[in-house]
Amino acid sequence: MKKEYINIGFGSIVSAGKIVALISPDSAPIKRLVTVARDQERLIDATFGRRTRSVIIMESGQVVLSAIQTDTLGRRLYDFNETDYQCELEDEAVQSTEYDSAVEET
């Protein structure tokens, strides 16, 4: 079964297919990015008052803050992509089997 969302902590989830980047919040350029997103009302703070450990950039331009480590979110996203890839392989195998069956019947 294909997952469409990943947990970013404390009951918050985001669409895995819409994530552009997972970034550590420690550098000055990323801190400026967060400040600009806050000023433009594109910031979603999902830290629930905890320390920001990851910055997630979404396709829509929204910036999401998470209290979960970037590495942990990266693994969750990797698992999502692996699941998606496995589903594609299974679909191709089913289509191939159906084609082979149709060819044998003729």
Side-chain angles (χ1 to χ4, degrees), residues 30-95:
I30 300 306
K31 289 178 182 178
R32 280 192 300 273
L33 178 96
V34 169
T35 302
V36 168
R38 181 176 285 121
D39 293 343
Q40 295 177 352
E41 298 182 357
R42 293 184 297 117
L43 183 72
I44 299 171
D45 188 347
T47 61
F48 290 87
R50 291 172 176 83
R51 181 173 171 244
T52 300
R53 295 177 186 248
S54 297
V55 177
I56 305 166
I57 310 297
M58 306 298 290
E59 273 183 3
S60 62
Q62 293 176 309
V63 177
V64 182
L65 304 180
S66 174
I68 305 295
Q69 289 285 346
T70 306
D71 293 340
T72 303
L73 292 177
R75 279 193 300 271
R76 292 177 186 178
L77 189 59
Y78 176 79
D79 291 343
F80 166 78
N81 288 331
E82 279 295 304
T83 303
D84 190 34
Y85 180 69
Q86 290 298 328
C87 288
E88 287 178 14
L89 288 178
E90 290 170 5
D91 289 345
E92 288 176 9
V94 168
Q95 290 172 356

